[in-house]
Amino acid sequence: NAGVTQTPKFQVLKTGQSMTLQCAQDMNHNSMYWYRQDPGMGLRLIYYSASEGTTDKGEVPNGYNVSRLNKREFSLRLESAAPSQTSVYFCASSEAGEKLFFGSGTQLSVL
Amino acid sequence: GDSVTQMEGPVTLSEEAFLTINCTYTATGYPSLFWYVQYPGEGLQLLLKATKADDKGSNKGFEATYRKETTSFHLEKGSVQVSDSAVYFCALRNDYKLSFGAGTTVTVRA
């Protein structure tokens, strides 16, 4: 009963380093999302993919890229990490934007 | 653009107290409205939803009514328990995107 699986759970980077956050879902959902959660700001949408083969920018896309590798997988890449990208990142999936199923989150610190 | 505003926390209550968390929204068209809950160390889970005006969503003793005239979706529970301690997020959906409020931290003391 995996649902949405994110890796890694924790990561520390130095400014300028790059990394990719991985996300996979086993519910055959068409839509997938990446959010970041910061204190007092709730969840802000970084990118989303309404269906396989499409990606669109959300509220805060700058400094990030995404890849919808196939229907199951949606990765988030930081090309040159900055301290402002210190956050908790959540991947989610849904069927056509209805009930979202969230992963358990990735806590990222950029020093 | 779409936005959600919810009351700031933190909110601290005693067990069996009445809980209200206010939520108002700005959106074009006819969005669906949601309340999500996040327990410590976990991702968000859907608590309840309403898809059209005057709908009432309910789950686990929580209720919220979609009020189009006041653009509101306030969350209520008549008698809270310690296990209700969590962060609560109001959200709206337009097209494929969900927009979330900032979250309200609720702590229930025994």
Side-chain angles (χ1 to χ4, degrees):
Chain A
N1 217 21
V4 179
T5 303
Q6 289 181 235
T7 56
K9 291 189 182 302
F10 302 94
Q11 184 70 50
V12 179
L13 295 177
K14 295 181 180 178
T15 297
Q17 287 185 317
S18 63
M19 79 160 294
T20 300
L21 280 64
Q22 307 288 351
C23 176
Q25 52 93 8
D26 62 3
M27 294 171 283
N28 203 38
H29 286 160
N30 281 311
S31 303
M32 296 186 74
Y33 308 80
W34 276 105
Y35 287 89
R36 59 178 289 173
Q37 182 178 25
D38 301 291
M41 304 191 76
L43 272 75
R44 292 181 292 170
L45 182 63
I46 304 171
Y47 271 93
Y48 69 104
S49 171
S51 61
E52 185 179 359
T54 69
T55 60
D56 286 285
K57 295 179 180 179
E59 303 169 63
V60 290
N62 291 345
Y64 305 95
N65 285 301
V66 291
S67 296
R68 184 73 183 268
L69 304 170
N70 47 56
K71 192 171 186 179
R72 289 186 64 249
E73 299 173 286
F74 188 41
S75 62
L76 178 72
R77 183 161 178 84
L78 286 70
E79 290 290 353
S80 179
S84 61
Q85 293 177 305
T86 294
S87 187
V88 181
Y89 291 85
F90 287 98
C91 177
S93 72
S94 76
E95 194 50 47
E98 284 297 322
K99 176 182 177 180
L100 262 63
F101 292 81
F102 283 82
S104 56
T106 296
Q107 195 165 323
L108 175 67
S109 295
V110 183
L111 306 177
Chain B
D2 298 340
S3 67
V4 177
T5 303
Q6 60 183 104
M7 64 183 283
E8 294 185 16
V11 175
T12 303
L13 303 164
S14 298
E15 226 172 5
E16 299 183 3
F18 185 85
L19 170 68
T20 299
I21 304 176
N22 290 339
C23 171
T24 57
Y25 67 91
T26 302
T28 56
Y30 303 94
S32 296
L33 301 176
F34 305 82
W35 277 100
Y36 279 79
V37 59
Q38 184 180 31
Y39 299 104
E42 298 182 9
L44 278 71
Q45 305 171 28
L46 179 66
L47 181 59
L48 53 85
K49 71 175 186 179
T51 57
K52 61 184 187 297
D54 299 325
D55 267 4
K56 177 185 283 188
S58 61
N59 186 26
K60 297 182 180 180
F62 290 89
E63 292 183 341
T65 301
Y66 190 146
R67 302 284 188 201
K68 191 168 174 61
E69 65 275 14
T70 54
T71 62
S72 65
F73 193 55
H74 305 321
L75 183 68
E76 296 181 337
K77 185 173 185 181
S79 178
V80 294
Q81 305 299 314
V82 172
S83 57
D84 293 324
S85 298
V87 183
Y88 293 83
F89 293 90
C90 186
L92 70 82
R93 179 178 72 84
N94 247 333
D95 197 8
Y96 290 98
K97 295 188 294 184
L98 259 75
S99 301
F100 287 85
T104 302
T105 300
V106 174
T107 302
V108 180
R109 294 180 174 168

